[in-house]
Amino acid sequence: MSGIGKTVLDSGWLAARSTEVKLSGVQLTTTHPPATGAESPWMEAVVPGTVLATLVKNKVVPDPFYGLENETIIDIGDSGREYYTFWFFTTFQSKLLENQHLHLNFRGINYSAELYLNGHEKVLPKGMFRRHSLDVTNIVHPDGKNLLAVLVHPPDHPGKIPAEGGQGGDHEIGKDVATQYVEGWDWIAPIRDRNTGIWDEVSISVTGPVKIIDPHLVSSLFDNYKRVYLHATTELENTTDSVVECSLNIQVSTELEENICLL
Amino acid sequence: EHLQTQQVSIPAHGRVQHTFPQLFFYKPNLWWPNGMGKQSLYEVSITVDVKGHGESDFWSQPFGFRKIESYIDSATGGRLFKVNGQRIFIRGGNWILSDGLLRLSRERYRADIKFHADMNFNMIRCWGGGLTERPEFYHYCDIYGLLVWQEFWITGDVDGRGIPISNPNGPLDHDLFLLCARDTIKLLRNHPSLALWVGGNEQVPPDDLNKALKSYLKLHPLFQNSDPN
């Protein structure tokens, strides 16, 4: 039985440079999942993390924050964007009850991605600081293993680093909605992959027919903080093709001692 | 008083916004910044049960009751802060991120933020050229009483100044910037440690972005000074 709730996908990820993978996303997530081995381009990936974090983990490049090792890593301005365009791959199990839905959630990808799940393609549009939540109920294998591959693209304007360095390099990164320190600043050397990667949490979540989205809590305080009101709103999404009647409950509790709550 | 149940009908493939009746608290424990008192947190839980199906979704979040005010002092030109009516002397640290390769773990956030609290700081400023910090960062700021000054992704050096002079019009895609800004606000807005949003670092965002950000972050009239009763 599958319970309501979230499972974080932060282990078991593999990654490979896109130019070294000859298979399509459909093939990777159906007939030809990645194989690891001496001849394979696939390596253990760091998720959440960046392409550079994965390369450091696998000792493909040295730790850029140790000594002057960063100088030995090729910059995306010199290598081209393809060099830091990477596939990420993982598997997960799902078992849904009738009327349950499975959502695949990304809390941050730098910068855009194409996603393949069991052979189905979805596009994750641009924007480093935006979340993506996909209802994948009709795509997942209800009793089996699901194959997920994500092709992550670097920022559109990674820029070049002038020989003299400088604040934000050649400033090209400012054309994108992204962190700007990655072209180097007075306190940090340029980040060679511009932080390309699945840089924040990936999760799957199971819900019933109705999903709670982004509740908002605000308090107002009166009479020298003696009288206080909590105002709460939330969005609710009905994923079915019929009207649903819901019972919506809010409760506020506080822990007085360990395992003793006041309601 | 601290429990409400309501019946809601949602159309097929519909998305509705629901507002609960306000919940009343008498003398709740307030959330205070580091050094001014306890960081009292209540657990707010929302559940939705669908008729004929059972539990459909669940959400919960620690929440602190506090009122943060800030204004520019005309005499000094500095920004003054008050928390729960009390003036606070801000002792802050500048923050970019906990790891340049974005291996962002809860453990590291906890250690870094506790360290700031142990240094007797009461504010962390998240610089506009870096990250909008993650919910785990804010969680530990809630726990350890660090107020957060959060900037959006604009800097002087890359958005209007610098050598050579950079483009003052910000990112190419203003709609995308605002989409990301709205999503980020929704992600972080419930944390009691979130004290101040700022458009950018040493630079005012382009006029259309600045106006839109101000509009998104405008306080609802209900929460200004009026008494609902």
Side-chain angles (χ1 to χ4, degrees):
Chain A
M1 176 171 166
S2 188
I4 301 296
K6 181 174 91 168
T7 304
V8 175
L9 303 180
D10 60 357
S11 60
W13 285 88
L14 299 172
R17 183 169 284 119
S18 64
T19 52
E20 297 172 11
V21 176
K22 303 304 174 198
L23 300 166
S24 69
V26 173
Q27 289 171 312
L28 286 171
T29 57
T30 51
T31 52
H32 293 79
T36 51
E39 302 299 313
S40 170
W42 293 90
M43 60 189 99
E44 280 184 53
V46 180
V47 175
T50 62
V51 167
L52 205 52
T54 289
L55 297 175
V56 171
K57 177 187 170 77
N58 290 278
K59 303 191 188 311
V60 177
V61 298
D63 187 333
F65 297 121
Y66 193 85
L68 294 176
E69 301 283 29
N70 195 51
E71 295 299 312
T72 67
I73 305 172
I74 189 166
D75 190 85
I76 192 170
D78 299 319
S79 69
R81 292 175 70 250
E82 297 74 20
Y83 189 80
Y84 287 111
T85 301
F86 264 65
W87 279 106
F88 289 84
F89 178 90
T90 194
T91 62
F92 63 88
Q93 299 280 342
S94 64
K95 193 172 181 183
L96 299 173
L97 300 176
E98 194 181 356
N99 290 326
Q100 284 190 329
H101 287 250
L102 189 77
H103 308 269
L104 177 59
N105 311 303
F106 293 86
R107 221 168 55 181
I109 287 189
N110 189 7
Y111 184 70
S112 62
E114 292 135 49
L115 175 155
Y116 296 84
L117 178 59
N118 299 334
H120 296 260
E121 183 185 4
K122 304 264 183 185
V123 173
L124 302 182
K126 290 176 186 175
M128 181 172 178
F129 296 108
R130 67 190 289 190
R131 295 168 291 169
H132 304 277
S133 184
L134 307 167
D135 187 337
V136 294
T137 310
N138 297 328
I139 300 175
V140 291
H141 298 149
D143 288 318
K145 190 162 136 181
N146 298 289
L147 308 183
L148 171 64
V150 188
L151 180 63
V152 178
H153 298 278
D156 289 350
H157 303 91
K160 283 182 176 288
I161 310 302
E164 66 277 17
Q167 306 285 76
D170 64 1
H171 307 146
E172 281 290 294
I173 193 73
K175 291 179 177 174
D176 294 332
V177 181
T179 50
Q180 298 184 353
Y181 77 92
V182 290
E183 279 204 70
W185 221 269
D186 47 18
W187 54 273
I188 195 169
I191 306 289
R192 299 310 189 189
D193 67 346
R194 305 290 185 268
N195 280 162
T196 299
I198 303 176
W199 70 275
D200 199 11
E201 181 185 275
V202 185
S203 66
I204 49 173
S205 53
V206 176
T207 70
V210 174
K211 184 182 175 188
I212 296 170
I213 300 171
D214 291 335
H216 188 194
L217 308 174
V218 179
S219 54
S220 53
L221 305 97
F222 303 94
D223 299 341
N224 200 24
Y225 305 93
K226 288 196 193 94
R227 191 157 54 84
V228 175
Y229 298 91
L230 175 66
H231 310 263
T233 63
T234 186
E235 285 185 66
L236 300 164
E237 185 177 42
N238 175 7
T239 52
T240 71
D241 50 12
S242 57
V243 178
V244 292
E245 303 298 328
C246 306
S247 175
L248 192 59
N249 178 287
I250 183 169
Q251 83 175 39
V252 183
S253 59
T254 183
E255 194 171 56
L256 296 178
E257 295 172 38
E258 201 172 345
N259 298 325
I260 301 174
C261 287
L262 174 69
L263 177 64
Chain B
E1 287 169 341
H2 305 157
L3 175 67
Q4 290 263 4
T5 303
Q6 297 202 292
Q7 304 306 314
V8 181
S9 179
I10 309 174
H13 295 291
R15 192 158 166 164
V16 299
Q17 184 154 31
H18 180 80
T19 301
F20 289 94
Q22 62 196 19
L23 299 177
F24 172 67
F25 293 78
Y26 180 69
K27 286 190 178 175
N29 294 319
L30 299 178
W31 184 92
W32 291 96
N34 184 32
M36 289 183 81
K38 285 187 176 176
Q39 289 76 52
S40 300
L41 293 169
Y42 292 75
E43 190 72 18
V44 179
S45 306
I46 297 175
T47 54
V48 58
D49 289 274
V50 173
K51 192 175 178 182
H53 174 81
E55 187 182 32
S56 182
D57 202 3
F58 170 84
W59 177 91
S60 73
Q61 165 107 28
F63 183 76
F65 293 103
R66 92 288 186 265
K67 183 174 185 179
I68 299 174
E69 301 161 271
S70 78
Y71 60 94
I72 303 293
D73 180 53
S74 57
T76 65
R79 183 173 287 274
L80 298 184
F81 286 84
K82 276 186 181 179
V83 180
N84 302 331
Q86 304 295 314
R87 289 179 67 168
I88 176 173
F89 179 66
I90 296 294
R91 303 175 299 277
N94 201 20
W95 177 273
I96 315 298
L97 33 72
S98 69
D99 173 44
L101 303 184
L102 306 187
R103 297 163 292 196
L104 307 175
S105 69
R106 292 182 74 89
E107 294 75 18
R108 185 153 181 176
Y109 275 133
R110 180 181 179 279
D112 287 354
I113 290 160
K114 183 174 186 302
F115 188 43
H116 280 71
D118 289 344
M119 287 192 289
N120 214 20
F121 282 2
N122 54 26
M123 180 174 276
I124 296 180
R125 173 233 182 181
C126 295
W127 177 65
L131 288 183
T132 315
E133 266 302 349
R134 303 293 86 198
E136 292 77 12
F137 171 94
Y138 277 87
H139 174 73
Y140 288 112
C141 288
D142 295 344
I143 298 278
Y144 291 113
L146 273 301
L147 298 165
V148 184
W149 164 312
Q150 178 69 63
E151 296 176 1
F152 286 103
W153 324 286
I154 295 285
T155 65
D157 285 298
V158 171
D159 298 300
R161 301 204 307 273
I163 303 169
I165 295 289
S166 53
N167 169 31
N169 199 32
L172 294 178
D173 190 339
H174 286 201
D175 289 340
L176 178 61
F177 183 97
L178 294 175
L179 178 69
C180 289
R182 284 196 300 274
D183 198 55
T184 300
I185 292 165
K186 287 180 179 177
L187 179 68
L188 302 174
R189 62 191 176 185
N190 295 322
H191 288 277
S193 56
L194 178 57
L196 185 72
W197 289 100
V198 174
N201 163 64
E202 299 173 6
Q203 182 71 300
V204 179
D207 198 42
D208 59 323
L209 296 184
N210 205 36
K211 278 183 182 158
L213 290 174
K214 283 183 175 180
S215 171
Y216 297 162
L217 295 164
K218 197 160 51 183
L219 202 60
H220 189 284
L222 181 64
F223 304 114
Q224 285 171 350
N225 284 310
S226 64
D227 184 338
N229 294 329

